[in-house]
């Protein structure tokens, strides 16, 4: 091979082994179920104990700074996940997706149930940070394996399903946490033990993905020179920055809906819960819609962000609870499409060797945006005087980002009307 020509990997590098494709319907269903269940574990960590925070506050009332420390028990896993996901991605590429996923799922149960026996608030917060470490590995591995096992339309379908499961599970886990919390503030932590059921199933059911399509086909393995290729830092930096912003858009309604309703005079927990459930269902609907659209994700992003911006605009202008809910529904339809669009876009830029690291960077950007979302809105509220005004500012920002993306695509002449299978398969 001439020295001026750089060896390239096969085009179908992300095709898994034949064993990862040619499986029975039941085995395929079990594999997908395990990947979706694993993807929901970080959501469990984010919302499960929310209903018992007041009881924890009362229990640790004598601890100095408890008013600020107790809420950290809820939010610190997301921060740890955001900080450590890039490192988890590097480990994924080096030690293997399946092995790390099984180990992290076991550790998730150990760290998650630790508050059942810890009496120190500091110790509990430390254990929650370790939960975030395990979550970083689990989320990165599950998303990477979806990219390994599937391509084209199937990949889009299961990444959208991942969004649907995460959105639906948030409501379910909130209910479970509230029900378990009636037995005491420690009781919900038992739920973390469910990962001990998932870990052995993952070890047995999930196949190890192929390193190379050529090897899967029985060809000679590519040389080390062929395997090494530059990591797409520039492309991933752009999609990760957009994901960080998209995460703030995604989490605004779940985090702030109760406060917005309260500002409109709605104080009934039942009404607030129903409104939040309707918005969550709209997120699922948006993900379903995305999975059915046979389009490449990149050209869709401006339109999806525009839908989110319209929803925020209606919420900003709402003078009544029904209109606020309508705005939230519109916004959540957009966010349900936004998350799988961003994730699919990132996946399409990654080869097998880089997929773990790239997924880790994407995951860090998303959960970093989740962590700063309430802080950004709080700053916006201080600047304009109302939470609705802060939501309106975020909507304006979303509209500007959408316009910028659309203009950039127009300048680059990158609008491509071809259906998705022709672009990503």
């Amino acid at each position: 091979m001439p020295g001026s020509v750089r060896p390239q990997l096969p085009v179908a590098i992300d095709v898994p082994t034949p064993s990862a494709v040619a499986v029975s319907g039941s085995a395929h269903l079990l594999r997908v179920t395990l990947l979706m269940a694993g993807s929901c574990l970080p959501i469990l960590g984010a919302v499960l104990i929310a209903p018992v925070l007041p009881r924890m506050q009362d229990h640790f009332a004598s601890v100095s700074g408890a008013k600020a420390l107790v809420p950290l028990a809820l939010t610190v896993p997301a921060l740890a996940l955001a900080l450590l996901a890039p490192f988890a991605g590097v480990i994924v590429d080096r030690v293997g997706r399946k092995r790390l996923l099984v180990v992290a799922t076991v550790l998730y149960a150990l760290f998650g149930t630790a508050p059942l026996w810890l009496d120190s608030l500091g110790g509990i917060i430390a254990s929650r940070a370790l939960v975030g470490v395990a979550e970083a590995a689990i989320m990165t591995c599950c998303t990477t394996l979806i990219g390994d096992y599937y391509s084209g339309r199937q990949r889009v379908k299961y990444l959208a399903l991942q969004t649907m499961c995460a959105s639906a599970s948030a409501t379910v886990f909130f209910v479970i946490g509230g029900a378990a919390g009636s037995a005491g503030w420690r009781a919900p932590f038992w739920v973390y033990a469910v990962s001990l059921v998932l870990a052995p199933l993952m070890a047995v059911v999930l196949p190890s993905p192929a390193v190379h399509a050529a090897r899967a086909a029985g060809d000679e393995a590519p040389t080390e020179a062929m395997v090494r290729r530059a990591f797409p830092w520039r492309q991933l930096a752009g999609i990760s920055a957009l994901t960080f912003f998209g995460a703030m858009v995604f989490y605004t309604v779940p985090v702030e809906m109760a406060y917005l309703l309260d500002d409109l005079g709605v104080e009934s927990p039942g009404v607030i819960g129903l409104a939040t459930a309707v918005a969550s269902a709209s997120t699922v609907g948006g993900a379903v819609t995305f999975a059915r659209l046979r389009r490449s994700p990149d050209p869709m992003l401006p339109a999806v962000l525009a839908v989110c911006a319209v929803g925020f605009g209606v919420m900003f202008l709402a003078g009544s609870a029904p209109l606020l809910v309508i705005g939230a529904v519109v916004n959540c339809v957009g966010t349900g499409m936004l998350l799988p669009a961003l994730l699919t876009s990132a996946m399409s830029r990654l080869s097998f060797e880089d997929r773990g690291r790239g997924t880790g960077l994407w995951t860090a950007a998303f959960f970093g945006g989740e962590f700063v979302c309430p802080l950004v809105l709080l700053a916006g509220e201080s600047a304009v005087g109302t939470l609705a005004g802060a939501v309106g500012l975020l909507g304006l920002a979303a509209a500007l980002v959408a316009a910028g993306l659309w203009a950039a695509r127009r300048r680059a002449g990158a609008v491509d009307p071809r259906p998705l299978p022709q672009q990503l398969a």
Side-chain angles (χ1 to χ4, degrees), residues 37-99:
S39 299
C40 290
L41 292 180
I43 309 302
L44 185 152
V47 303
L48 181 70
I49 67 170
V52 300
L53 288 183
R55 290 195 176 193
M56 287 184 65
Q57 192 80 58
D58 294 339
H59 181 84
F60 292 106
S62 60
V63 177
S64 177
K67 188 174 182 179
L69 292 174
V70 169
L72 280 178
L74 180 67
T75 59
V76 76
L79 178 60
L81 195 157
L83 294 176
L84 296 174
F87 302 100
V90 173
I91 297 173
V92 163
D93 285 334
R94 291 187 177 179
V95 307
R97 294 88 152 105
K98 178 179 173 179
R99 183 186 310 171

Side-chain angles (χ1 to χ4, degrees), residues 165-306:
C165 292
S167 300
S169 68
T171 301
V172 173
F173 292 146
F174 191 90
V175 173
I176 292 175
S182 62
W185 68 266
R186 293 185 190 269
F189 291 99
W190 280 110
V191 180
Y192 286 90
V194 70
S195 64
L196 292 178
V197 177
L198 297 177
L201 289 174
M202 289 172 171
V204 173
V205 173
L206 297 180
S208 297
V211 177
H212 305 294
R215 187 175 299 172
D219 298 335
E220 183 181 354
T223 64
E224 184 177 358
M226 291 177 68
V227 172
R228 289 182 179 174
R229 61 195 307 177
F231 185 80
W233 287 109
R234 180 176 298 180
Q235 295 183 16
L236 261 294
I239 196 65
S240 295
L242 190 57
T243 297
F244 185 87
F245 176 77
M248 290 190 284
V249 174
F250 186 89
Y251 274 99
T252 293
V253 170
V255 170
E256 305 295 345
M257 190 65 176
Y259 297 102
L260 290 166
L261 287 168
D262 184 70
D263 290 343
L264 293 175
V266 179
E267 299 179 355
S268 168
V271 174
I272 293 174
L274 178 61
T276 305
V278 169
S280 296
S282 302
T283 302
V284 175
V288 172
T289 300
F290 176 83
R292 294 183 178 225
L293 293 175
R294 302 176 68 84
R295 314 292 288 183
S296 176
D298 287 354
M300 292 175 57
L301 284 172
V304 171
L305 277 170

Side-chain angles (χ1 to χ4, degrees), residues 61-148:
S62 60
V63 177
S64 177
K67 188 174 182 179
L69 292 174
V70 169
L72 280 178
L74 180 67
T75 59
V76 76
L79 178 60
L81 195 157
L83 294 176
L84 296 174
F87 302 100
V90 173
I91 297 173
V92 163
D93 285 334
R94 291 187 177 179
V95 307
R97 294 88 152 105
K98 178 179 173 179
R99 183 186 310 171
L100 181 60
L101 176 60
V102 173
V103 172
T105 304
V106 173
L107 293 177
Y108 179 88
L110 298 178
F111 299 146
T113 56
L116 293 168
W117 300 279
L118 294 173
D119 293 322
S120 164
L121 180 57
I124 290 175
I125 292 175
S127 72
R128 298 290 293 165
L130 292 174
V131 167
V133 174
E135 288 176 348
I138 292 170
M139 193 68 179
T140 302
C141 289
C142 286
T143 305
T144 303
L145 285 171
I146 292 173
D148 290 340

Side-chain angles (χ1 to χ4, degrees), residues 256 372-387 389-390 393:
E256 305 295 345
V372 304
C373 175
L375 303 178
V376 169
L377 290 170
L378 180 63
E381 182 179 3
S382 300
V384 300
T386 65
L387 179 57
L393 283 178

